[in-house]
Amino acid sequence: MKQVKKYPAAITIFGAKGDLTKRKLIPALYNLFTDHHLPSVFTIYCVDFLEVDQEEFRKDMLAGINEFSRSGVADVVKWNEFAERLFYIQGDFLKKGTYENLDEKLKAFEKQNEQNSTRIFYFAIAPRFIEIIAEALYKHNLCNRDSLDRIVIEKPFGTDLDTAKKLNRFLAKRFTEKQIYRIDHYLGKEAVQNIMAFRFANFVFEPLWNRKYIDHIQISVTEQVGVGKRGGYYDSSGALRDMIQNHLLQLLCIVGMECPKAYKSEVIRDAKTKVMKSVKPYTTAQVFKNVIRGQYTGGTINDQPREAYRKEEQVQSTSKTETFVAAKLYIDNERWKGVPFFMRTGKSLPAQSSVIVVQFKDTPHKIFKDDIVPNRLIISIQPELEISLLFESKVPGLQMKLKPVEMDFTYKESYTETIPEAYEALLLDVLNGDATLFMRADQIEAAWKVVMPILEAWEKFPAKDLHMYKAGTCGPTAASTLLKPYAKEWYELPFNKTEKAIPNLKSAQ
């Protein structure tokens, strides 16, 4: 097997003083370094407009590792080795001097090592700077080698279909598609990646993965937190743009995709995009029947008071922005025709969890009177990384009595290896030039096409059917009504792991 040459890596992070850099990116890079996944020769340049002393910056990044890294407090020797290659560059994103300075440093790094380097430019910045930085990189020839230079862009990628198309066209004139990595950290989560292995490496499930055997599918990403200090951004975005358009639709693609011909980047991205393009669009009237939006009012979570959304910092007092969305979508193809995919996300809910529930159809010929719970597959992404299968079993004794039981697989019990953070997996893929877990331009646009009829309906009727729900509750009651006749209520992971939430998803028929 031909080995891929490993080049030195020059990683540039724009937005050095931002939360993402301190909490996620530097801890991820540090863990990749300590686990020997980074090239032996690398450098990290962190750029921002504030004047910060080099050593003070390094101390701040060390504090971020100590607080947020999965590996805990940094090892002194390893940190010192890592810190020697971590540099802060003061520079205004709007001024060419910033890029000229960066160009000099990158060239000096490559000259010192007497070879080219893989150049990664991470945009950990507000969306308004994406085009500004991209243009500067292009003009100063900092990112012009197709096989070595890459840019990484965080969501939101556009605010609607038109802006996403415009941004795609803008970037396509300056970089090749293989250089652009549109990152969604959800796709880097271990449990999300395992869905593909679970589906396509275990033939026992794939023959059942279709409309003949599956009744419906639920995809829930619930958040206990409110908007916090993100009110300014969130009030112009909302849950549909912030979560459904990217995270949840990506999960839908992985659950709904056809088996790819090979585990290769473009083949897998083709399969995901095909699913997205098959999601049936809604008319305005259909939106209000199949999509529920809500906004949290004051309440309590863990016995602590929670302000109403409209009283949060930088949120308008008359805001109609949704903090909760539940939707019923259909994939219009041969495999899934008629099977509803229920999606739900919201803030200020009772618990933080991400779960996919595959509800199988009921037993066609019932011979046992207490055969009342259909088979169910539960894929928990967080807080527990777990896959469980619900099935009926005979209770020990002299009578034929059935009871639903769960067969569990948990990472904690099955593996001793520590689980890497999502950003570790994704940053390593960028370094290796593997775009499998990243979104392509056409997939981004297809996702926007799914949500645009909903956004347009809400814009046309901003106050219609905006359901209020108390913080700390499970959302608007209308969200459960949306499930009928397939289920009475949304599946909730049990708060106490010794309890099973078996009765929670009985058929409403």
Side-chain angles (χ1 to χ4, degrees):
M1 185 177 176
K2 185 180 177 182
Q3 284 193 326
V4 179
K5 181 179 178 181
K6 277 206 167 187
Y7 290 90
I11 302 164
T12 301
I13 300 173
F14 293 102
K17 293 296 291 177
D19 203 42
L20 178 63
T21 301
K22 181 176 179 177
R23 292 172 63 101
K24 297 293 184 181
L25 301 183
I26 294 301
L29 289 168
Y30 172 76
N31 285 333
L32 289 173
F33 167 71
T34 59
D35 291 344
H36 309 291
H37 292 303
L38 290 185
S40 57
V41 180
F42 72 92
T43 188
I44 304 171
Y45 299 117
C46 299
V47 185
D48 220 321
F49 69 94
L50 296 170
E51 285 191 23
V52 178
D53 176 76
Q54 186 82 265
E55 290 309 310
E56 284 301 314
F57 175 73
R58 287 173 175 169
K59 284 180 183 177
D60 191 35
M61 295 301 104
L62 174 59
I65 291 170
N66 290 341
E67 185 177 356
F68 302 114
S69 170
R70 65 172 170 84
S71 56
V73 176
D75 177 89
V76 175
V77 175
K78 290 179 178 177
W79 162 252
N80 287 335
E81 289 178 24
F82 181 80
E84 286 175 0
R85 310 177 200 197
L86 177 65
F87 302 96
Y88 181 80
I89 299 175
Q90 190 275 325
D92 189 329
F93 302 151
L94 302 174
K95 294 182 178 178
K96 67 176 184 177
T98 300
Y99 305 95
E100 290 170 346
N101 184 17
L102 182 58
D103 186 33
E104 288 176 11
K105 293 185 183 301
L106 290 170
K107 285 177 178 175
F109 174 72
E110 292 181 350
K111 186 177 180 181
Q112 179 185 348
N113 295 296
E114 299 181 336
Q115 60 178 317
N116 290 330
S117 64
T118 300
R119 294 182 179 182
I120 309 296
F121 299 93
Y122 202 111
F123 291 33
I125 41 86
R128 67 180 183 276
F129 291 116
I130 293 175
E131 293 186 11
I132 292 167
I133 294 173
E135 178 69 11
L137 294 178
Y138 172 72
K139 279 188 174 180
H140 290 84
N141 294 316
L142 290 166
C143 187
N144 61 349
R145 301 167 302 180
D146 288 7
S147 60
L148 287 176
D149 302 337
R150 293 143 207 171
I151 63 171
V152 185
I153 300 176
E154 282 273 348
K155 76 173 185 77
F157 198 88
T159 57
D160 55 24
L161 179 59
D162 288 343
T163 54
K165 283 182 175 179
K166 178 176 175 290
L167 185 52
N168 277 333
R169 288 195 299 267
F170 180 90
L171 295 173
K173 288 178 181 177
R174 291 153 180 83
F175 313 100
T176 62
E177 180 62 33
K178 67 184 287 188
Q179 290 180 277
I180 305 167
Y181 288 72
R182 301 166 188 84
I183 193 168
D184 182 342
H185 75 274
Y186 246 73
L187 298 185
K189 289 181 180 290
E190 186 69 28
V192 174
Q193 294 183 64
N194 196 32
I195 297 171
M196 284 186 63
F198 179 83
R199 280 194 60 191
F200 303 127
N202 298 293
F203 188 64
V204 67
F205 292 108
E206 189 57 21
L208 308 177
W209 213 260
N210 54 61
R211 62 192 176 99
K212 184 177 179 181
Y213 299 103
I214 292 177
D215 182 68
H216 72 278
I217 293 173
Q218 293 185 22
I219 302 174
S220 284
V221 179
T222 62
E223 297 183 280
Q224 198 177 59
V225 297
V227 297
K229 296 186 181 299
R230 297 175 70 223
Y233 156 75
Y234 198 90
D235 207 36
S236 60
S237 172
L240 188 69
R241 286 185 174 96
D242 191 48
M243 296 293 287
I244 298 284
Q245 188 273 335
N246 39 77
H247 299 334
L248 276 81
L249 283 179
Q250 293 305 315
L251 293 177
L252 179 143
C253 285
I254 297 171
V255 173
M257 67 191 283
E258 298 294 326
C259 181
K261 293 180 180 177
Y263 189 75
K264 292 182 179 178
S265 172
E266 292 311 305
V267 178
I268 290 170
R269 299 210 287 181
D270 285 344
K272 289 179 181 178
T273 304
K274 192 173 181 181
V275 174
M276 199 79 80
K277 289 181 177 179
S278 298
V279 176
K280 198 171 181 179
Y282 283 134
T283 63
T284 298
Q286 289 171 332
V287 164
F288 290 102
K289 289 180 181 178
N290 294 284
V291 184
I292 303 297
R293 57 174 169 163
Q295 185 186 98
Y296 64 84
T297 60
T300 58
I301 296 179
N302 294 333
D303 298 323
Q304 297 297 315
R306 176 67 56 85
E307 287 271 35
Y309 173 73
R310 292 177 181 178
K311 292 185 178 180
E312 298 276 21
E313 189 178 327
Q314 296 184 332
V315 172
Q316 293 183 23
S317 60
T318 58
S319 175
K320 301 294 189 296
T321 300
E322 78 287 352
T323 61
F324 177 100
V325 177
K328 178 168 62 176
L329 299 177
Y330 289 95
I331 298 173
D332 195 13
N333 61 19
E334 188 60 30
R335 179 184 289 264
W336 295 114
K337 199 172 187 69
V339 177
F341 284 72
F342 295 101
M343 308 177 76
R344 175 183 65 152
T345 187
K347 291 191 175 293
S348 290
L349 299 179
Q352 193 96 359
S353 74
S354 299
V355 64
I356 298 168
V357 179
V358 179
Q359 179 83 17
F360 292 95
K361 290 187 176 180
D362 212 348
T363 311
H365 306 293
K366 290 186 180 292
I367 63 172
F368 304 107
K369 64 179 181 179
D370 47 1
D371 176 9
I372 58 172
V373 181
N375 300 120
R376 182 193 312 148
L377 182 70
I378 303 155
I379 302 170
S380 172
I381 299 166
Q382 67 172 7
E384 297 290 336
L385 281 72
E386 179 179 1
I387 299 175
S388 61
L389 180 66
L390 177 75
F391 60 95
E392 297 277 19
S393 175
K394 179 186 175 297
V395 177
L398 299 176
Q399 294 181 330
M400 178 57 72
K401 186 177 180 182
L402 303 186
K403 180 183 178 182
V405 295
E406 286 187 359
M407 184 163 53
D408 293 335
F409 153 75
T410 64
Y411 278 76
K412 204 177 288 183
E413 294 173 357
S414 301
Y415 300 113
T416 56
E417 297 91 338
T418 57
I419 298 170
E421 293 285 347
Y423 277 98
E424 293 174 43
L426 295 171
L427 284 168
L428 185 59
D429 282 352
V430 176
L431 281 166
N432 292 336
D434 183 353
T436 304
L437 299 177
F438 297 82
M439 291 174 286
R440 212 166 51 192
D442 55 345
Q443 192 181 2
I444 287 280
E445 292 176 17
W448 276 115
K449 285 178 182 177
V450 172
V451 301
M452 283 310 297
I454 304 171
L455 288 170
E456 288 165 357
W458 290 351
E459 188 176 338
K460 191 174 181 181
F461 302 101
K464 184 176 179 179
D465 293 345
L466 177 63
H467 301 269
M468 297 300 179
Y469 65 97
K470 282 186 177 182
T473 64
C474 292
T477 54
S480 294
T481 305
L482 185 69
L483 295 168
K484 292 180 179 179
Y486 297 92
K488 290 181 179 178
E489 54 191 343
W490 292 84
Y491 177 83
E492 302 284 353
L493 287 172
F495 291 100
N496 182 350
K497 278 302 291 175
T498 60
E499 299 172 4
K500 297 294 182 183
I502 290 169
N504 218 15
L505 204 62
K506 288 181 182 178
S507 172
Q509 291 178 306

